[in-house]
Amino acid sequence: MDPSLPGGDAARRYFVRTYGCQMNEHDSERIAGLLEADGMERCESEDDADVIVLNTCCIRENADNRLYGHLGALTHLKRSRPGLQIAVAGCLAQKDRDAIQERAPHVDAVFGTHNVHRAAELLREAREQGPVTEILEELAEFPSALPARRDLAHSAWVAIQIGCDNSCAFCIVPAVRGREVNRRMGDILSEVEALGRDGVTEITLLGQNVNSYGRDLDAGQWRPRFAELLRELDAIEGLRRIRFTSPHPKDLRPETIAAMAECESVCEHLHFPLQSGSDRVLARMHRGYTAERYLDRLASARAAVDDLAVTTDIIVGFPGESDADFEETLRVVMEAGFDSAYTFVYSPRSGTEAAGMVDEFVPPQVIRERMDRLVEVVEGSALSRARARVGEVEEVLVEGASKKDPGVLTGRTRQNKLVHFRADPLPAAGTYGEARITEAAPHFLMGEWLRQTAAPRHRTRIPLAVSSS
Ligand code: 5AD
Ligand code: SF4
């Protein structure tokens, strides 16, 4: 873009703040890519920015509160810098629509999950014509096809599917991300090949229910194609690590487990959201499996994939959850032996089925007590799984300097466990190497760097910094 043109964005600086899940990280990278393609430059803080984009999440209530709190805090920045533009994008924008500018009139542009591709144009329109809100009901363009400004040069998110056709009673995602739309396999493979040419060696496939990948690809007949996709990706030269999130336990198929076991690049990590261990609660959530079925599938995965790390999501205090239901959750968690678990307090989201079960809401004090007990069990299991790694030599992909100590590097094992280590000389982000694990904590390992096994393949050195996800 010619900076002399009216409305030209040359030298304007942008800052994107991301709330929520990996799909939002993925979309934020696209928003950043579009703004750069429009001539803007990235900056490292909101104070230096001419354009601030808040890419929002609405999965739990505290995400809403955090956004509106932050918007309030930006009022004075906007007053002191009249040229500053603030945009709100993502799931909360999709949900709250016009209400965002009603609550926060200093917001210049609001766009949702289906029109990420319009980010730069909408900011331009807002500059020329005043505040704008644009929310689409259906996906206009798969955001993966847009230019991206990735945080890590060696690692990329790849969306294979957007939206969700399930109807878990607690979940707002189908309302804000829409029906499940799968991306054509050829497009995914071309994107990953192009990423490989850029030096990306690790990808994470994203979808709300990756096992159902393929559902709408062959007209009129459903053929599950996730296992096939893993095998095709595994054949791509230079790609060393394939991750995916998340499979739905009700749909984890034997052929997916077989592909995980047989494809060298597919990492030994399964994120397997349990939500509850009580059959009664699982049925009321419409999860489509029982605790026994969940544990059976997990056992099949563990039997097939050596050294499999398993992580999960659990909700505490779903409406009507009794003490006995919660005991069931504890029992399943103990039996499953998770490497880690994201534990969430149930949060009513208006418009979802469970939000209407007001009479059965669990008192906050009861939820707190249950949560404390759950966290204790989860931490115990995480620590024992981490301790089992001590003495092992693991492949580590270097991510960058640790946030606390720039002399310490951080990387991830194939099981997706965080490892901190010192090394001399410091290997660059994107390097693969071997480290001996020396110490374990529930959320990280300490290691001793032994040797490099593969140098980074990307050309541009990026600053050593670990992303905040
Ligand atoms: N309340 C609490 N946790 C929720 N999650 C989704 N919706 C809610 C809700 N309303 C959790 C689920 C899901 C994860 C991404 O967020 O555990 O797997
Ligand atoms: Fe939400 Fe359930 Fe769909 Fe996951 S599978 S996005 S929890 S509705």
Side-chain angles (χ1 to χ4, degrees):
M1 143 106 5
D2 179 347
S4 62
L5 288 177
D9 280 323
R12 281 169 68 80
R13 285 159 303 173
Y14 74 88
F15 182 85
V16 182
R17 181 180 291 277
T18 310
Y19 299 82
C21 68
Q22 292 101 331
M23 192 63 91
N24 268 11
E25 305 259 355
H26 165 275
D27 289 354
S28 287
E29 291 183 351
R30 267 63 200 179
I31 293 170
L34 286 162
L35 300 187
E36 291 197 4
D38 203 37
M40 294 191 212
E41 282 169 15
R42 169 171 161 144
C43 65
E44 300 306 319
S45 109
E46 288 178 344
D47 293 334
D48 299 329
D50 300 300
V51 169
I52 298 173
V53 183
L54 306 176
N55 191 14
T56 62
C57 167
C58 62
I59 202 143
R60 284 169 295 276
E61 194 176 9
N62 57 5
D64 298 27
N65 296 342
R66 275 174 63 202
L67 172 77
Y68 284 108
H70 191 60
L71 278 176
L74 287 179
T75 323
H76 76 277
L77 198 62
K78 178 94 181 178
R79 255 190 237 121
S80 64
R81 311 245 318 270
L84 172 67
Q85 284 193 295
I86 299 175
V88 178
C91 295
L92 191 65
Q94 189 77 26
K95 174 169 90 66
D96 283 2
R97 299 165 183 244
D98 296 328
I100 300 220
Q101 277 165 337
E102 282 157 24
R103 273 181 82 169
H106 56 297
V107 169
D108 296 275
V110 177
F111 54 96
T113 51
H114 297 322
N115 53 347
V116 163
H117 64 290
R118 292 262 294 144
E121 286 146 15
L122 288 171
L123 281 161
R124 181 181 306 280
E125 276 176 41
R127 218 163 39 252
E128 288 163 1
Q129 295 156 31
V132 49
T133 291
E134 184 181 276
I135 304 292
L136 302 186
E137 298 311 319
E138 296 207 355
L139 192 64
E141 190 172 330
F142 229 100
S144 302
L146 302 171
R149 165 48 154 109
R150 280 181 285 107
D151 270 354
L152 291 175
H154 59 267
S155 185
W157 310 113
V158 176
I160 64 167
Q161 145 194 98
I162 283 187
C164 179
D165 280 353
N166 293 314
S167 45
C168 299
F170 50 82
C171 186
I172 188 107
V173 167
V176 290
R177 287 274 178 187
R179 296 294 307 256
E180 179 184 309
V181 179
N182 289 284
R183 192 165 167 217
R184 287 183 36 224
M185 193 176 299
D187 291 349
I188 299 172
L189 296 175
S190 324
E191 183 190 351
V192 174
E193 277 160 0
L195 288 167
R197 288 192 291 276
D198 260 10
V200 167
T201 57
E202 178 185 61
I203 56 164
T204 303
L205 306 175
L206 298 179
Q208 299 298 341
N209 179 2
V210 290
N211 313 111
S212 75
Y213 175 73
R215 197 165 266 176
D216 55 359
L217 291 179
D218 302 304
Q221 49 151 16
W222 179 44
R223 189 156 64 94
R225 298 181 69 181
F226 186 59
E228 184 187 333
L229 176 65
L230 289 180
R231 290 183 190 277
E232 294 279 342
L233 289 167
D234 187 52
I236 294 178
E237 196 65 30
L239 187 61
R240 297 175 67 110
R241 288 184 171 188
I242 301 170
R243 302 185 181 283
F244 56 88
T245 192
S246 298
H248 193 305
K250 78 177 163 60
D251 297 323
L252 182 65
R253 310 172 75 85
E255 60 264 32
T256 299
I257 295 177
M260 287 181 70
E262 289 159 27
C263 296
E264 217 175 297
S265 318
V266 177
C267 289
E268 294 75 32
H269 172 219
L270 181 67
H271 185 67
F272 207 47
L274 170 65
Q275 312 300 1
S276 168
S278 151
D279 291 347
R280 201 182 68 89
V281 173
L282 287 168
R284 283 165 51 94
M285 287 176 164
H286 310 309
R287 288 291 291 173
Y289 52 86
T290 59
E292 194 184 331
R293 189 105 188 250
Y294 176 96
L295 288 170
D296 276 357
R297 295 247 156 108
L298 187 55
S300 311
R302 286 202 200 277
V305 183
D306 278 349
D307 239 6
L308 184 70
V310 181
T311 56
T312 199
D313 294 341
I314 301 165
I315 297 178
V316 177
F318 182 80
E321 182 189 75
S322 66
D323 285 340
D325 292 322
F326 177 68
E327 294 303 326
E328 283 296 285
T329 297
L330 284 186
R331 182 186 67 78
V332 175
V333 170
M334 282 179 212
E335 196 169 330
F338 294 118
D339 291 79
S340 77
Y342 297 95
T343 51
F344 304 107
V345 168
Y346 168 70
S347 168
R349 308 282 57 212
S350 77
T352 60
E353 185 183 337
M357 304 175 177
V358 182
D359 297 348
E360 297 177 273
F361 280 5
V362 180
Q365 178 57 27
V366 174
I367 295 186
R368 265 196 300 278
E369 283 162 19
R370 287 182 190 163
M371 185 58 102
D372 288 348
R373 290 181 61 204
L374 176 62
V375 168
E376 204 179 308
V377 173
V378 165
E379 297 277 291
S381 138
L383 184 58
S384 75
R385 299 279 302 167
R387 281 194 178 135
R389 312 312 298 173
V390 174
E392 299 281 334
V393 172
E394 305 239 6
E395 184 197 76
V396 172
L397 167 57
V398 178
E399 288 191 350
S402 121
K403 277 182 223 153
K404 288 192 193 124
D405 179 350
V408 173
L409 284 186
T410 288
R412 285 195 185 259
T413 66
R414 285 179 59 95
Q415 290 193 322
N416 209 30
K417 289 191 189 302
L418 206 57
V419 188
H420 300 302
F421 58 93
R422 287 184 192 279
D424 190 16
L426 291 178
T431 305
Y432 287 82
E434 286 179 345
R436 187 187 312 282
I437 306 304
T438 52
E439 279 173 62
H443 304 287
F444 64 89
L445 304 170
M446 300 295 291
E448 175 193 1
W449 183 252
L450 299 176
R451 65 184 186 98
Q452 173 173 321
T453 51
R457 298 181 62 225
H458 55 272
R459 279 178 292 274
T460 42
R461 258 310 281 283
I462 53 158
L464 283 179
V466 179
S467 81
S468 59
S469 69

